[in-house]
Amino acid sequence: MATELAPGLIHHPGFLDPVARRRLADEVAAVLDAAPPVIPRMPRTGRALSVRMSNAGPLGWVSDRDGYRYQPTHPKTGQPWPAIPETALAAWEALAQYPAPPEACLINLYDPAARMGLHQDKDETDFSAPVVSLSLGAPALFRYGGLGRADPTRSIRLSDGDAVVIGGVSRLIFHGIDRLYPSADLLTEAPLPGLLPAGGRCNLTLRRVSATTGRWG
Ligand code: MD6
Ligand code: FE
C-alpha cells in the first residue's frame, strides 16, 4: 500500500519483493565492480561526506572541491558509468509516470554510522520529472520537510525494498537520512557483502537530468 506523505511525495513500503531485492543487489554489485564507490567531498571545504557514492547511467552525480555536477564518466577511472540496473529501470517505469527513462542513477552506500544531511535535489534541469528512490539493507530514518530549510519536518522509516517518489510540488523539498537502524538479522545478511559492512544500507536515486553535461552550482 502506497502512502502519500505530502502532495507528490509517495512512500511505497516493500515495493521490491525479496527476489527483486536480491536481483537489484547483484546488479548493484556489478555496477560497483566497474565503477568503484568514491567518498564525496563538500565543495570548497573538501570535507568528506559519510556516505560513499557511485553512479550508473549516461550521467552521474559527483561532488568534490570543484562543486556538484553531473558528468558522463567516473572521476577516478575516467570510464563511462555502467548501465542502470534493469530492476531499477523497471521501478522507474512503474512509479515515475514520466515518458522518458532516467539519465542518472546515484548509488549511496551507508556504513551503519553514516547519515546524510538535509538537502534538496536541485542539480537537475528538468524538475517536471520526479526522483525515484530505492532502498536496500538496514532501515533508515528519512526526514523530509518543505521548500525552505527551516520548514517543519517529519520522519519515516525506509526499509529494505521500499521505494519513495519525490515529484510534483514536493520535487524540491528538503530531505535527508538521520540515522540507520542496523538490526541483528541484517547483521548476518548484508545486501552487498564486501562492499557494505553488515548493518549497512544502499540507496539508489533515479533522476532525469537533461541532455547537457555542463556544470551547475
Ligand atoms: C537516501 N535519499 O535515502 C537518500 N533524494 O539515502 C535521497 O536523498 C533522496 O530518497 C531524492 C529523492 C528521494 C530520496
Ligand atoms: Fe536526495
Side-chain angles (χ1 to χ4, degrees), residues 16 19-35 54-57 81-92 105 107 109 134 136 191-193 195 202 204 206:
L16 299 174
V19 171
R21 292 172 206 170
R22 181 70 261 155
R23 191 169 56 231
L24 180 58
D26 291 343
E27 291 168 343
V28 169
V31 167
L32 296 177
D33 200 41
S54 186
N55 289 274
W81 303 104
I84 297 177
E86 287 295 332
T87 306
L89 287 177
W92 173 273
C105 174
I107 301 170
L109 299 176
L134 299 170
L136 294 173
L192 294 164
L195 292 159
C202 174
L204 282 70
L206 299 154

Side-chain angles (χ1 to χ4, degrees), residues 106 108 116-117 119-122 131 133 142 166 173-176 203 205 207:
L106 173 63
N108 292 146
M116 185 177 291
H119 66 277
Q120 294 169 292
D121 287 31
K122 61 175 185 185
V131 178
S133 123
F142 176 78
I166 293 191
I173 60 167
F174 278 88
H175 59 279
N203 176 264
T205 43
R207 303 116 187 276

